[in-house]
Amino acid sequence: MTDAAFEAAVAAARQGLSQGGIPIGAALARNGEIIAVGHNGRVQHADPIAHGEMAALRAAGRQQTYRDTVLYTTLAPCAMCTGAILLFKIPRVVVGEARTFPGELDVLRSRGVTVDVLDDERCVGLMERFQQDHPSLWAEDIAE
């Protein structure tokens, strides 16, 4: 069973897709309470760094510390989002899936971040369909 923060990330991914964007969502939680939720908004905002994880961090606003938080994301974080996770010393990342994009999970683990990959079929399905239906937009998102 998944928890509310992960479910919020999945809902955010679906929301982003419904707005014509890329279906990646994220949520930041502390002690089981959701602090913030965000989704990839690169298309909607014409913002090249508006990835789901970045949107959740932006929505969280200033925090005294992130060392007691968990970041939930529907897709393995890219290099940019991995950098933010490391910068803010977020100790744990829960990833919906890493089949359609491997991200930088090895980098996170090598720097002491606990990474849990759920291999959630909903997340896999969202990304597989998106990548098939919008290959050029996906390539743009990951700078290929």
Side-chain angles (χ1 to χ4, degrees), residues 1-123:
M1 182 174 161
T2 58
D3 65 27
F6 180 70
E7 293 303 321
V10 172
R14 289 182 173 139
Q15 180 184 14
L17 181 62
S18 75
Q19 297 171 350
I22 298 164
I24 303 168
L28 187 68
R30 176 180 286 119
N31 299 322
E33 297 292 323
I34 299 170
I35 298 170
V37 179
H39 61 76
N40 187 303
R42 291 183 71 254
V43 173
Q44 300 92 314
H45 305 295
D47 181 348
I49 62 170
H51 284 200
E53 299 89 340
M54 303 300 255
L57 289 169
R58 183 175 289 124
R62 293 176 57 199
Q63 300 289 313
Q64 186 173 5
T65 184
Y66 296 86
R67 293 175 190 225
D68 58 350
T69 64
V70 178
L71 182 66
Y72 296 81
T73 180
T74 58
L75 186 66
C78 70
M80 176 179 65
C81 296
T82 292
I85 292 163
L86 296 174
L87 175 69
F88 294 118
K89 297 177 176 50
I90 297 171
R92 181 173 174 228
V93 177
V94 177
V95 176
E97 68 101 354
R99 278 193 245 166
T100 63
F101 179 72
E104 300 292 337
L105 301 182
D106 290 340
V107 172
L108 289 170
R109 289 180 177 122
S110 76
R111 298 284 297 272
V113 176
T114 300
V115 177
D116 300 313
V117 179
L118 303 177
D119 202 30
D120 185 274
E121 290 297 334
R122 298 170 298 170
C123 296

